[in-house]
Amino acid sequence: MKERLYLYDTTLRDGQQTQGVQFSTVEKVQIARALDALGVDYIEGGWPGANPTDSEFFTERPDTRAVMTAFGMTKRVGRSAANDDVLAAVLDAGTPSVCLVGKTHEFHVTTALGVTLEENRAAIAESFAHVVAKGREALFDAEHFFDGYLANPAYAMSCLRAAFDAGARWIVLCDTNGGTLPAEVGRITAEVIAAGIPGARLGIHCHDDTGNAVACSLAAVDAGARQIQGTLNGLGERCGNANLISLIPTLLLKAPYASRFETGVSHAALAGILRTSRMLDDILNRVPQRGAAYVGASAFAHKAGLHASAILKDPSTYEHIVPDLVGNARIIPMSNQAGQSNLRARLAAAGIVVDAKDPRLAGILDDIKLREDQGYAYDGAQASFELLARRALTLCPTFFEVKRYRVTVERRKNKRDQMITLSEAVVVVKIGDQKMLSVSESMDATGTDRGPVNALWKALAKDLGPYQSYINDMRLVDFKVRITQGGTEAVTRVIIDSEDAQGKRWSTVGVSANIVDASFEALLEAVTWKLIRDGAP
Amino acid sequence: MKERLYLYDTTLRDGQQTQGVQFSTVEKVQIARALDALGVDYIEGGWPGANPTDSEFFTERPDTRAVMTAFGMTKRVGRSAANDDVLAAVLDAGTPSVCLVGKTHEFHVTTALGVTLEENRAAIAESFAHVVAKGREALFDAEHFFDGYLANPAYAMSCLRAAFDAGARWIVLCDTNGGTLPAEVGRITAEVIAAGIPGARLGIHCHDDTGNAVACSLAAVDAGARQIQGTLNGLGERCGNANLISLIPTLLLKAPYASRFETGVSHAALAGILRTSRMLDDILNRVPQRGAAYVGASAFAHKAGLHASAILKDPSTYEHIVPDLVGNARIIPMSNQAGQSNLRARLAAAGIVVDAKDPRLAGILDDIKLREDQGYAYDGAQASFELLARRALTLCPTFFEVKRYRVTVERRKNKRDQMITLSEAVVVVKIGDQKMLSVSESMDATGTDRGPVNALWKALAKDLGPYQSYINDMRLVDFKVRITQGGTEAVTRVIIDSEDAQGKRWSTVGVSANIVDASFEALLEAVTWKLIRDGAP
């Protein structure tokens, strides 16, 4: 018989406190749906009345299985809960659940609020009595609890008790400044339970200011707390909140949690958690962190030669979980560290089987080393690595030849006397004895000029004769530029990520002193890889 | 009397296992110097013989106070330690300290190595006897120790004991797959000590696959281990290693560690830890993580209204440490007073004095925020920041106007039937009622085409009429490109560093969906800043 562990997401409230983050209402609805599909128990939607977006979200919030929660603060001293307009705005959002932040640290009561300890405790009690009387599930967000407990345990506990006795369903211990370390969080949580607040009524809310938010949350659960608050990708004020994308796989897959607890997240939903993480990055226009626990693109990348050779024998030798369980995949990248076994493994993964004694293996490694010295990088460009190997193994047909190209970027006044930029590209391709001339501009739907590389891609993709049908569903999804060695001798490395209609992604690399040339090389590689993958004649 | 805690950095070895990371020897030397200045006790420089860069580093390694350590593996079964060429290459590096990885997990001994348990244990014993006999300090990197201990505690312990009895100074417990959680790391570390390996001889080596590497390291120290292994910025295979940039401030500043332990890191060095972190990002051309513990740009940013107002009363209300201690700074929403005084200070530093009551200050802050939302960055582009302020304060004359430009990049066959690339730019500038047309190619002395930006710069700098004499000594020394947002909406940020004959350097920024356009904006800013600085009429 497993114990129930509850997950409370505050991406839409505390996550919105992240510097530079401002969700639109549409984005908030999209995130709420994703959280509900993932299976969290509570979704904190924001602070009704605090700003227009938060208020709007509650009027347009989607129906969710998860309990929608409005955030606010305990009533101010000097007026009754019924007459506090800030609290009223929170209740008016009409959510089944309400979370109110309140002070438990004497220093904050006197310094930040400037009221007496008794006035603050009374405000907590009255606020929760009011919310409970309205028939709402109530949560007490005990701000600065750990610091407050260290300063004055009796007072901090009396504030928890005030909310608890007034009927709050959950007492959430918040490490607001994020400075409390895991051992301390565990010790104090245990003391709170010993002092009479049952663990089944305790939640934990941690921040990552020391890089321990996930561990602090686990320490509180170990001590008996049964609700974890966090955010997607650890979004949140300052260094962020506890990362639910890291915590959920641990809770579902790893000892002792997997066998002790059940959550609202199914294993089927867990397999979609990587996509949930990427969705948030997309909304924020953030490049996903390659090293993120469980979901990072590098999380199951085995670079060291020793590791790679063992992985070939048995993946469990260097993986603590099976990547598929979180929707991730194994990668065996190339690099100057890699031995031949690493190389063969990566070729095998790409469907290219080479005998261990094939002398061309050494040649491929030398070729990689040589090109890496020129500025190429194959760790992040698997497709170009495959093409390099295929060429060495004479498994790479020449589908077409680019005879020449020309791209022009022009900035000038238009008829309406406004400065505009326009890029135009001409690409001349020869297929067999057929010659194709294509020309394109790079204006997008919004009338924005997207530059020379975009123009070249449009021209190249315009007419590839017999191969056109193979590339019609191909689009460029990311473009990374790195200037290697810098200065006037600068050489540019461009890595392009492409995607097809099925959502399959592949990365290619180009290098040149001329950034346009480097980009074009990466484009050609991307097209060639797709033609091979789709078996073009 | 404080206990000594040792810090062992493996950025140059395990950090190099990061997907996409390849340090040059020059970069490795630079990192080693920074680590030594920071005050770590050991620097693991790499695996001599495993690849050219690692071997080269050991021949060119700098003199350091930190103990330089070569990494390798225990001798292979079937030959003596003296006759193992891999081990010989490690010893030949001549470092005072040697760290050898070896198996302690029966499954790995039989599956990955394919030898008997006894053969493996004997190889460990013989290898360390050999290294110690050579007069080196020896470390045993006990691979997969935690998993191995769970599978067969007696065998795993006997492997530690073999190295210990052979004279290894340090027994390092490695959670190679990164799957062990903090509580388990603490429990097993305590059991190892209880079984007879003193904590003063134990090290901990964790990976971040569950987001707990920092917490696992602290748990091992709590249990008695006295060496922590980690990397700068948590670089490392898969999800990375324990992040020393997060651990060091915790060990020096926070209870119970600050009062219990001393390390080789001084508080003066701690104040430089943010710069050390940024240096590594620069070498890797990575965008520093805003939310990084202690050193992130957002680590002390107070966005929530409640927090910001309290911070003004007393910073300790919402900060767990004083930001200056780690070389970081508090960020308070630009809107309020603090933001404006910061701005005035920065302007004063640039010789622009503005009255505290000047209403245009708020306008400048709004402008900065707006443009940063568009992708501009002014931290790395002081000259553009000054120009932005000067425009708002009407202190920025318009020296000339660019009526239009056109740049062409062409790739085609030359007379000798070789593919060549050629860039050409035309720039039309108006000064007063004088109009100048300039055209340039971008071929350098070696006959290499340096691309469209280079061609544009040459054309712009060719004839600026009355201003020509001011820019003759100006040259572009660096060019950084970053794709902000990414994806198809990609916007390009270009930062250009310029230098004059006196070696004075200044940085300017340009942003556009068109990379050429972004570069040209940064070029114009660079020229304008120099004309102002040199007092052009």
Side-chain angles (χ1 to χ4, degrees):
Chain A
M1 179 56 186
K2 291 183 175 182
E3 260 189 282
R4 186 68 161 82
L5 192 60
Y6 295 84
L7 300 172
Y8 184 105
D9 181 90
T10 180
T11 303
L12 301 180
R13 200 272 305 172
D14 222 347
Q16 173 125 294
Q17 305 288 3
T18 313
Q19 197 182 13
V21 169
Q22 185 57 55
F23 295 123
S24 68
T25 303
V26 174
E27 290 168 338
K28 282 192 147 204
V29 169
Q30 182 187 354
I31 293 166
R33 291 216 168 91
L35 287 166
D36 202 41
L38 179 58
V40 302
D41 300 289
Y42 295 85
I43 298 173
E44 190 171 73
W47 186 330
N51 62 68
T53 324
D54 282 16
S55 305
E56 193 178 313
F57 170 74
F58 284 101
T59 62
E60 296 177 17
R61 68 176 193 262
D63 290 333
T64 54
R65 186 199 43 68
V67 180
M68 190 60 69
T69 307
F71 182 85
M73 65 178 177
T74 53
K75 81 168 189 71
R76 285 157 297 174
V77 168
R79 72 198 72 185
S80 74
N83 293 329
D84 188 302
D85 56 336
V86 177
L87 180 53
V90 174
L91 288 162
D92 290 348
T95 55
S97 162
V98 170
C99 180
L100 300 182
V101 61
K103 306 276 186 205
T104 61
H105 190 333
E106 58 176 7
F107 167 70
H108 282 261
V109 173
T110 52
T111 304
L113 286 187
V115 303
T116 71
L117 298 182
E118 182 44 44
E119 285 172 323
N120 174 66
R121 184 170 47 221
I124 294 169
E126 200 193 316
S127 301
F128 283 96
H130 183 64
V131 171
V132 170
K134 296 273 181 190
R136 313 296 179 85
E137 177 176 350
L139 297 92
F140 178 40
D141 187 52
E143 194 190 34
H144 295 296
F145 177 73
F146 294 94
D147 300 323
Y149 184 87
L150 290 174
N152 183 343
Y155 182 69
M157 278 306 303
S158 75
C159 293
L160 300 190
R161 172 65 64 185
F164 185 76
D165 293 344
R169 160 67 180 93
W170 289 104
I171 304 299
V172 183
L173 308 180
C174 298
D175 185 37
T176 309
N177 294 3
T180 311
L181 297 172
E184 191 102 282
V185 167
R187 179 178 68 79
I188 293 176
T189 303
E191 288 177 18
V192 169
I193 293 170
I197 311 266
R201 305 279 292 273
L202 278 184
I204 182 72
H205 176 108
C206 297
H207 282 268
D208 210 32
D209 297 73
T210 67
N212 286 295
V214 164
C216 288
S217 307
L218 293 176
V221 171
D222 295 344
R226 291 298 174 257
Q227 181 195 98
I228 298 178
Q229 298 200 344
T231 60
L232 297 177
N233 297 351
L235 207 63
E237 179 125 39
R238 303 187 315 273
C239 301
N241 290 59
N243 186 352
L244 290 179
I245 298 291
S246 305
L247 276 162
I248 290 171
T250 293
L251 295 172
L252 266 72
L253 300 175
K254 304 197 62 82
Y257 307 102
S259 54
R260 275 186 67 190
F261 299 109
E262 72 178 346
T263 70
V265 181
S266 69
H267 280 270
L270 181 65
I273 199 165
L274 182 144
R275 287 199 308 281
T276 309
S277 173
R278 295 291 189 279
M279 173 214 69
L280 187 68
D281 285 330
D282 288 346
I283 288 175
L284 297 172
N285 280 318
R286 286 187 176 182
V287 180
Q289 277 184 39
R290 296 196 70 84
Y294 295 104
V295 298
S298 298
F300 300 93
H302 305 282
K303 184 173 170 183
L306 281 179
H307 294 205
S309 54
I311 283 279
L312 288 180
K313 295 176 181 154
D314 181 339
S316 74
T317 50
Y318 286 90
E319 287 175 355
H320 71 116
I321 65 156
V322 178
D324 317 49
L325 296 175
V326 291
N328 210 339
R330 181 173 305 127
I331 295 177
I332 301 184
M334 284 310 308
S335 77
N336 63 354
Q337 308 242 330
Q340 291 201 8
S341 63
N342 200 335
L343 172 61
R344 285 184 61 238
R346 198 168 170 201
L347 289 173
I352 307 169
V353 180
V354 188
D355 185 90
K357 292 170 198 63
D358 192 320
R360 294 174 300 181
L361 285 172
I364 294 173
L365 284 174
D366 297 343
D367 196 5
I368 289 167
K369 180 86 189 65
L370 181 74
R371 292 171 70 85
E372 283 181 340
D373 291 344
Q374 294 165 0
Y376 287 84
Y378 291 99
D379 288 359
Q382 166 78 12
S384 286
F385 158 75
E386 289 176 31
L387 292 176
L388 176 146
R390 285 181 172 279
R391 290 185 187 108
L393 300 165
T394 61
L395 295 170
C396 185
T398 305
F399 297 102
F400 59 88
E401 183 192 359
V402 174
K403 302 299 289 181
R404 62 181 179 86
Y405 73 73
R406 187 183 71 248
V407 58
T408 305
V409 177
E410 197 168 5
R411 184 157 175 82
R412 54 171 168 76
K413 288 236 169 88
N414 67 5
K415 293 181 206 64
R416 281 186 241 70
D417 206 47
Q418 308 155 312
M419 278 302 241
I420 56 152
T421 309
L422 184 65
S423 304
E424 178 197 274
V426 173
V427 175
V428 180
V429 171
K430 194 169 180 205
I431 303 175
D433 41 23
Q434 204 185 359
K435 198 174 175 189
M436 277 108 173
L437 260 84
S438 303
V439 60
S440 278
E441 291 183 340
S442 70
M443 200 74 78
D444 70 10
T446 71
T448 309
D449 176 81
R450 304 232 70 102
V453 178
N454 179 279
L456 275 168
W457 164 242
K458 282 182 165 179
L460 179 68
K462 204 168 181 178
D463 184 5
L464 270 184
Y467 303 119
Q468 191 60 34
S469 62
Y470 292 90
I471 63 164
N472 277 335
D473 74 330
M474 180 177 161
R475 54 192 200 88
L476 309 187
V477 290
D478 205 358
F479 178 77
K480 304 182 204 76
V481 179
R482 172 165 182 183
I483 307 297
T484 62
Q485 76 224 33
T488 44
E489 293 308 290
V491 167
T492 307
R493 174 198 305 150
V494 172
I495 290 184
I496 287 177
D497 292 358
S498 309
E499 202 172 272
D500 67 12
Q502 290 71 50
K504 164 73 178 173
R505 254 188 195 228
W506 63 101
S507 304
T508 52
V509 61
V511 169
S512 165
N514 181 321
I515 193 168
V516 172
D517 221 29
S519 306
F520 193 73
E521 181 185 10
L523 287 177
L524 288 181
E525 294 263 295
V527 170
T528 305
W529 186 87
K530 182 147 196 314
L531 293 179
I532 289 175
R533 205 264 328 248
D534 293 355
Chain B
M1 179 53 187
K2 291 183 175 183
E3 260 189 281
R4 187 68 161 81
L5 191 59
Y6 295 83
L7 299 173
Y8 184 104
D9 180 274
T10 180
T11 303
L12 300 180
R13 201 272 305 171
D14 222 347
Q16 173 119 304
Q17 307 284 10
T18 312
Q19 192 181 12
V21 169
Q22 261 154 246
F23 296 123
S24 67
T25 303
V26 175
E27 289 168 337
K28 282 192 147 204
V29 169
Q30 182 187 353
I31 293 166
R33 291 215 169 92
L35 287 167
D36 201 41
L38 179 59
V40 302
D41 300 289
Y42 295 86
I43 297 173
E44 190 172 72
W47 185 330
N51 62 70
T53 323
D54 282 16
S55 305
E56 194 177 308
F57 170 74
F58 283 101
T59 63
E60 296 178 18
R61 69 176 193 263
D63 290 333
T64 54
R65 187 201 38 72
V67 179
M68 190 60 69
T69 307
F71 182 84
M73 64 179 176
T74 53
K75 81 167 188 75
R76 285 156 296 174
V77 169
R79 71 199 74 186
S80 74
N83 293 330
D84 188 303
D85 56 334
V86 176
L87 180 53
V90 174
L91 288 161
D92 290 347
T95 55
S97 162
V98 170
C99 180
L100 300 182
V101 60
K103 306 277 187 202
T104 61
H105 189 333
E106 59 175 6
F107 166 70
H108 281 260
V109 173
T110 53
T111 304
L113 287 187
V115 304
T116 72
L117 298 182
E118 183 44 44
E119 285 172 324
N120 174 65
R121 185 170 45 220
I124 295 169
E126 201 192 315
S127 300
F128 283 96
H130 182 66
V131 171
V132 171
K134 297 273 181 192
R136 313 296 179 87
E137 178 176 349
L139 297 92
F140 178 38
D141 188 53
E143 195 191 32
H144 295 295
F145 178 74
F146 294 95
D147 300 324
Y149 184 87
L150 290 174
N152 183 342
Y155 182 69
M157 278 306 302
S158 75
C159 293
L160 299 190
R161 172 66 63 187
F164 185 77
D165 293 344
R169 160 68 181 92
W170 289 103
I171 305 299
V172 183
L173 309 181
C174 299
D175 185 37
T176 309
N177 294 2
T180 310
L181 297 171
E184 191 103 282
V185 168
R187 179 178 67 81
I188 293 177
T189 303
E191 288 177 17
V192 169
I193 293 170
I197 311 267
R201 304 279 292 274
L202 279 183
I204 182 70
H205 176 109
C206 296
H207 283 268
D208 210 31
D209 297 73
T210 67
N212 287 295
V214 164
C216 288
S217 306
L218 293 175
V221 171
D222 295 344
R226 291 297 173 257
Q227 182 196 96
I228 299 178
Q229 297 200 343
T231 61
L232 297 177
N233 297 351
L235 208 63
E237 179 125 41
R238 304 188 313 274
C239 302
N241 290 57
N243 186 351
L244 290 179
I245 297 291
S246 305
L247 276 162
I248 289 171
T250 293
L251 296 172
L252 267 72
L253 301 174
K254 303 196 64 82
Y257 307 101
S259 54
R260 274 187 66 191
F261 298 109
E262 70 178 347
T263 69
V265 182
S266 68
H267 280 271
L270 181 65
I273 199 166
L274 181 143
R275 287 198 308 281
T276 308
S277 172
R278 296 292 190 277
M279 173 214 68
L280 188 68
D281 285 330
D282 286 347
I283 286 176
L284 298 172
N285 192 34
R286 285 189 175 181
V287 183
Q289 277 185 39
R290 297 196 67 84
Y294 295 104
V295 298
S298 297
F300 299 94
H302 305 281
K303 182 175 170 186
L306 282 179
H307 294 205
S309 54
I311 281 282
L312 290 177
K313 293 178 185 159
D314 181 339
S316 74
T317 51
Y318 285 90
E319 285 175 356
H320 71 115
I321 65 155
V322 178
D324 317 49
L325 296 175
V326 291
N328 210 339
R330 182 173 304 127
I331 297 178
I332 294 180
M334 296 257 200
S335 54
N336 61 42
Q337 293 309 316
Q340 292 203 9
S341 55
N342 292 346
L343 172 63
R344 286 182 62 236
R346 197 169 168 191
L347 289 173
I352 308 169
V353 180
V354 188
D355 184 89
K357 293 173 196 59
D358 193 319
R360 295 174 299 183
L361 285 171
I364 294 172
L365 288 171
D366 296 344
D367 197 8
I368 290 170
K369 188 180 179 331
L370 180 74
R371 291 170 70 85
E372 284 182 340
D373 291 346
Q374 294 164 359
Y376 287 84
Y378 291 100
D379 296 343
Q382 170 73 13
S384 285
F385 162 77
E386 290 174 30
L387 292 175
L388 176 146
R390 285 181 172 279
R391 289 186 187 106
L393 301 166
T394 61
L395 296 170
C396 186
T398 305
F399 298 101
F400 59 88
E401 184 191 356
V402 174
K403 303 298 290 182
R404 61 181 181 86
Y405 72 73
R406 187 183 72 248
V407 58
T408 305
V409 176
E410 197 168 6
R411 184 156 174 82
R412 52 171 169 75
K413 290 237 170 86
N414 66 5
K415 294 180 205 65
R416 283 185 240 71
D417 207 46
Q418 307 156 311
M419 277 304 241
I420 57 151
T421 308
L422 184 65
S423 304
E424 178 197 274
V426 172
V427 175
V428 180
V429 172
K430 195 170 181 205
I431 303 173
D433 41 22
Q434 202 184 3
K435 198 175 177 189
M436 279 107 173
L437 258 85
S438 304
V439 60
S440 279
E441 290 185 339
S442 70
M443 202 71 80
D444 69 9
T446 72
T448 309
D449 176 81
R450 305 234 68 105
V453 178
N454 179 279
L456 274 167
W457 165 241
K458 282 182 166 179
L460 179 66
K462 204 167 181 178
D463 184 4
L464 269 184
Y467 303 118
Q468 190 61 35
S469 61
Y470 291 91
I471 63 164
N472 277 336
D473 74 329
M474 177 177 163
R475 53 192 202 88
L476 309 186
V477 289
D478 205 359
F479 179 76
K480 302 187 203 75
V481 179
R482 194 146 280 159
I483 306 297
T484 65
Q485 304 188 6
T488 44
E489 293 307 291
V491 167
T492 307
R493 173 197 307 149
V494 172
I495 291 184
I496 288 178
D497 292 358
S498 308
E499 203 172 271
D500 66 13
Q502 288 73 47
K504 163 74 179 171
R505 250 188 195 230
W506 62 102
S507 303
T508 52
V509 60
V511 169
S512 166
N514 182 322
I515 193 167
V516 172
D517 220 30
S519 307
F520 193 73
E521 181 185 10
L523 287 177
L524 287 181
E525 294 263 295
V527 170
T528 305
W529 186 86
K530 183 155 198 306
L531 293 179
I532 290 175
R533 204 254 341 236
D534 293 355

